[in-house]
Each structure stands twice: as structure tokens, then as C-alpha cells.
Amino acid sequence: MKAMILRTPGGLDNLQLQEIADPGQPGFGEIRVAIHATSLNFHDLLVADGSIPTADQHIMMADGAGVVEAVGDGVTEFNVGDRVVSCFFPQWPDGLPDSHVSNFTLTPGDGAQGFAAEYVVRPASHFTLAPEGWSHVEAATITTSGLTAWRALVNDAQIKAGDTVLTLGTGGVSVTALQIAKSMGARVIITSSSDEKLERARALGADETINYREQPDWGKVVQALTRNNGADIVIEVGGPGTMAQSIDAVRTGGHIALIGVLTGREGTIPTSKLMAKQARIQGLTVGNRRQQQEFIRALNQTRIRPVISDTFTLATLPDAFRHQQSAAHFGKICVEW
């Protein structure tokens, strides 16, 4: 079978489509899945470009969506023909995170072999059912960015109708957060450096848009748009380079979901201002299997569909990563085969 392999020391030029051994038939508690799609996340890019070291001959990609081809003994949750989607933390079925999910040793595409392959055999608990009627490409957006947005808003921030949500940028997490928040009756403010992308965000339901290049003090703009109350929830994907503005933007007692580190891993935080606002910063990395199942049930009810920016083939995965680096996309970049 074919798989996209990363050779050490990493780098997009070291991604190679290779023939590798078929994984065979499932054992007890396992399922065999024909994978048909994956989607790109910043975490995958860090693996691909060598920023996150991996072993040689590493199969890429954390997200995987496909069809169950065979079911091992003891499996009752899935049947042959079911459409399924992978879990980011297969070792985290439910409950609060613990030391077992403080690293990525079992995360596909990082510490474990990923889903950029035609077939995989994994424990059934590493998957959930995909949303009803979704294509494989659509389902592949759930594993990482989709579940992250859901957990940030619903499980951690406990969003409610009438809340104001500020989301930064127009990547996969932010666009999904926009869609989820609007489906729950929230007001959404979104930022971007592109007026064209902001126009597209308005078409998806964004109530207010801010071009952060034209208005670098966008935290004050959010305050003005909310009559100096601030945003109830901030979806913070930038990290240290944007955190100060997010603290300016959040309301007193509000919630900042720290999801990304697009601007770096360390920086200066105005802690006195954060303390004065009595706001919460909640760091999070994706979510557990139960939360993914809850998200998918909600998707089946709300009929939200993911925004797919661009779709590549497995053989052109390196080009997909280069497109991701250009930041020209709106929503998710996907790969199908």
C-alpha cells in the first residue's frame, strides 16, 4: 500500500510517497480502516518541517477519515461499511486530562504512526463514527481543529446564547469556532489581515470583523464594539504575540482559550492586567473521545458543514504544506485519496 513517509531529519523535501507493507487483518478489539482523507493542522506542519523530531520512516498526519473494512473479535461499536474518523488522543477516552495526555507519544502522526496511508489497523477505540452524510474530506476536519474549537467553546468556556466570542484569524479552528458559536446564538467578532477573508467570514455569520494590520490595537476595538464590556470568550490561536491584545479584549471575568502558538512559544504576558480583569486563560490541546462523540452528535443536529479551502492528493502533500505556510487558505486544507 502507499503511505506518505517522513525521512529524518524532517523537512518538506524529505516527504516521500512510498510502498509499505499492508497492515493485514484486525486482531481482537481492532478494526481495519481504508483511509480516504486527512486534513492539515499546524501541529502536522511542525512535524513535517522537522520542528518536532520523529523517527525515520514516519507515517504522517494526525487526522484520518475512512471506511471500516474488517472488524476483529470483541468489537461491537463498529460494523463493516461504517464511516469513521480518528481520535487525536487515542489514550484519552473521557474525563479530565492527566499525565498520559501531557505529551504526544501516542498521537498519530507524532509519537505514533499517522494516517497518511491507504489502510490502517488500530484498536476500535481510536475512532468514532463520522457525522451522517459527510464526505471523508469533511470528516477529516474533526479530529484536531474541529474538536479543539468545540471543546474550547462548549466544554471549557461553557458558551451560552448571547455571549460575545472573539476568534483570531481564519484558519480551521477559528472558522469552526465561528460556526459553532453562531449555531449557539452567540455574537462573533473575528480578526484577519485580509479584507477578502473578513468578507467571507461575514458570509458565514460573523457579526463584526477587524483587520488587525489596519487596527493593531484590536483589543481596544473589541472593547468599543462591546460598549466597553469586552468579549466573553476569546479563541486565542496566536500565543505570545497576540495574548496582550486578547487580554485587552476579554471582559472582566471572561475566558481566554489558549489554543495555538503561531507567534512563538514564549513571550511577555501583562499579568497585572490579567489579574485586574480576573480573567481565565485555559490552555488546551484538542480533546477526548467522549467530547468528539458529543461534537459529532451536535453536528448531526445543527447541520454545520466544515469550510474546505483547498484539497490536495496524497502524492502532493508537500505542496499542501507549502500552501499552508503561505497562509492563503480560509478554513481547512485537506488531502484525499
Side-chain angles (χ1 to χ4, degrees), residues 279-334:
R280 301 182 305 279
I281 297 178
Q282 171 69 58
L284 71 148
T285 305
V286 196
N288 61 46
R289 186 173 189 260
R290 174 63 62 185
Q291 290 165 343
Q292 181 162 310
Q293 290 171 319
E294 292 169 350
F295 178 36
I296 289 169
R297 284 200 296 271
L299 290 169
N300 286 334
Q301 291 298 315
T302 61
R303 303 301 179 186
I304 291 173
R305 303 299 277 260
V307 177
I308 309 298
S309 174
D310 306 273
T311 304
F312 292 77
T313 65
L314 185 58
T316 59
L317 179 59
D319 294 330
F321 279 122
R322 293 184 182 97
H323 184 59
Q324 182 184 22
Q325 288 175 323
S326 75
H329 59 288
F330 180 96
K332 291 294 293 182
I333 302 170
C334 295

Side-chain angles (χ1 to χ4, degrees), residues 64-65 84-85 130-131 134-143 306:
V84 293
V85 60
W134 279 35
S135 69
H136 297 306
V137 167
E138 290 174 320
T141 67
I142 288 172
T143 299

Side-chain angles (χ1 to χ4, degrees), residues 162-180:
D163 280 349
T164 294
V165 175
L166 168 66
T167 187
L168 309 187
T170 53
V173 171
S174 295
V175 170
T176 305
L178 161 62
Q179 293 175 292
I180 293 170

